[in-house]
Amino acid sequence: MLKMTPELSRRRLIMMAVVVVAYMLSFFQRFAPAGVAQDLAASFHTSAASLGVLAATYFYVYTLMQIPTGILADTLGPRRILLLGGLVGGGGSLLFGFAPNLDVALVGRTLIGLGVSVTFIAMLKLIAVWYEEHRFATMTGLALLLGNLGSVLAGAPLAMTAQAFGWRGVFMGVGGISLVLAVLCWLVVRDRPLAQGEAAPVHRFDRTVVLNGMLSILKNRATWPVVLVNTGISGSFFTFGGLWAMPFLMQAHGLSRADASSRLSLLFLGFALGSILIGNFSDRLRLRKPVLIVVSHLYALIWLIWLSGVSLAPGLSYVLFALMGLATASFTLTWACAKEVNPPLLSGMSTSVANMGGFAAAALLQPLVGAVMDLSWDGRLENGARFYSMTDFQCGFALLAGIALLGAAASWWVRETGCRNIWREPRP
């Protein structure tokens, strides 16, 4: 890695600040439907299954774009894909805000997912190139901590803003900000640090190299336990936090919108803090696997509490939501684990493969949970939207508890890396 001069350090700081703000918006878009779920259901007159499809459309396209994004990050570079992603995502948010019906909203949500799908992998690629290897998990955690402010904004702040200006105004405003950030990314981001007078590299897409690189990642047995951990933990978290947490708290537990959104914000805040704390703790220990095992099992245990349907005292429920967010952050170590068991030059592809599992799970589970809840729904309506009982949520959440347990079990098969790249060229 090129030695960081004061000028390069300043450029790195400005560049990462812009990219992290763009990442904040991607997190906001991911979880925003949970904060306005009741408003969306009333505006488009949807069932739980249809609402699940609307929210999950983001995850469908996000999942499909993970591997292409990793390839593009390693070939075309982060700068170009951040520009294109910001333009597409901003346009999708504007369309979603203007949507007169569910079909148009689905198109807008799809464009949002397509646009923001490139942000995270591009950010990881920049961290891998601009920072030392042993600082990867710490810097990723710091970026997640700041980026997760977007998910915190999708809790209580979104609920209050939507009440004041309407949910449509929120998405149109976010769309405008996305377009501005796309231009800023083009102006300040550089794909790698360059010495004075050094020309920027010319990016070429070599299909053979790309296919061989992806094949080596997929054939690597050490890749797949990491994918399963990410699938179990982030898949259940995105499904819950991205849509069903607010209806669960308001309908099954009878909380007001303000009380429910405060717990949702605490869930996201716990995740934000956990991202930096767990990543930094793992880097300091120079260990990945033990940390992943302990925290992923704690996360699965909390899911069993939600599944039990027990009524909790307000103070205890706040603690559990914060602890759940903290424990969820264990899946952030999977990006480091994937990067450290695969070729260093393929860091974009390897992290995208690990990341794909969680988004694929969320894409399937958000509508599937709603469909299961619809099967047991008793026909009750409230303010024009379907009202679900605790039993309905328990039926749907059994799927989420099961996949969370799968992620915890897979952590036992993750290969320990000692926080360094352990990949070796296979013998011919």
Side-chain angles (χ1 to χ4, degrees), residues 70 74 125 128-129 133 136 209-223 335-353 415 417 420-426:
D74 288 337
K125 182 68 177 182
V129 171
E133 187 175 73
F136 182 84
V209 172
V210 167
L211 292 177
N212 288 339
M214 182 56 65
L215 187 61
S216 73
I217 293 170
L218 297 177
K219 289 172 63 177
N220 185 352
R221 293 182 179 179
T223 300
W335 305 317
C337 292
K339 181 182 76 73
E340 290 162 359
V341 297
N342 284 292
L345 291 176
L346 303 179
S347 61
M349 294 188 212
S350 58
T351 51
S352 68
V353 169
R415 183 175 297 177
T417 64
R420 67 189 189 282
N421 191 280
I422 61 173
W423 182 82
R424 295 291 182 271
E425 186 78 40

Side-chain angles (χ1 to χ4, degrees), residues 44 93-106 108 167-168:
F44 300 124
S93 188
L94 291 172
L95 181 61
F96 189 80
F98 281 112
N101 54 53
L102 182 61
D103 290 337
V104 177
L106 285 168
W167 67 268
R168 295 181 182 276

Side-chain angles (χ1 to χ4, degrees), residues 44-284:
F44 300 124
H45 307 290
T46 63
S47 65
S50 296
L51 187 60
V53 170
L54 177 62
T57 302
Y58 170 105
F59 291 99
Y60 294 146
V61 67
Y62 204 110
T63 302
L64 293 174
M65 283 298 296
Q66 286 307 285
I67 289 179
T69 297
I71 293 171
L72 292 173
D74 288 337
T75 53
L76 298 182
R79 183 179 179 227
R80 288 174 174 83
I81 62 176
L82 284 169
L83 171 66
L84 294 174
L87 295 176
V88 173
S93 188
L94 291 172
L95 181 61
F96 189 80
F98 281 112
N101 54 53
L102 182 61
D103 290 337
V104 177
L106 285 168
V107 175
R109 186 75 176 154
T110 300
L111 291 175
I112 290 171
L114 180 62
V116 304
S117 65
V118 304
T119 309
F120 178 68
I121 297 300
M123 184 178 72
L124 287 188
K125 182 68 177 182
L126 290 170
I127 293 174
V129 171
W130 281 81
Y131 290 90
E132 298 81 4
E133 187 175 73
H134 69 275
R135 297 177 64 193
F136 182 84
T138 298
M139 295 310 303
T140 300
L142 179 59
L144 281 168
L145 171 64
L146 299 173
N148 262 277
L149 293 176
S151 61
V152 175
L153 293 174
L158 171 59
M160 291 186 292
T161 306
Q163 279 190 318
F165 301 102
W167 67 268
R168 295 181 182 276
V170 171
F171 282 97
M172 287 186 282
V174 170
I177 295 172
S178 296
L179 297 177
V180 172
L181 285 171
V183 176
L184 285 177
C185 283
W186 179 254
L187 293 176
V188 305
V189 171
R190 295 296 179 268
D191 293 334
R192 68 179 179 88
L194 300 173
Q196 180 120 15
E198 183 182 358
V202 177
H203 294 286
R204 293 185 176 89
F205 185 90
D206 188 321
R207 184 174 60 182
T208 301
V209 172
V210 167
L211 292 177
N212 288 339
M214 182 56 65
L215 187 61
S216 73
I217 293 170
L218 297 177
K219 289 172 63 177
N220 185 352
R221 293 182 179 179
T223 300
W224 291 103
V226 176
V227 173
L228 289 176
V229 173
N230 192 295
T231 299
I233 300 175
S234 65
S236 55
F237 173 69
F238 291 156
T239 303
F240 182 63
L243 182 61
W244 296 117
M246 282 284 284
F248 172 64
L249 290 169
M250 294 176 67
Q251 297 181 10
H253 286 282
L255 299 183
S256 66
R257 179 190 287 261
D259 287 340
S261 63
S262 65
R263 285 163 175 78
L264 187 62
S265 290
L266 198 57
L267 175 71
F268 296 145
L269 183 61
F271 177 51
L273 294 174
S275 298
I276 180 63
L277 293 176
I278 291 175
N280 184 259
F281 183 62
S282 173
D283 280 349
R284 286 179 178 274

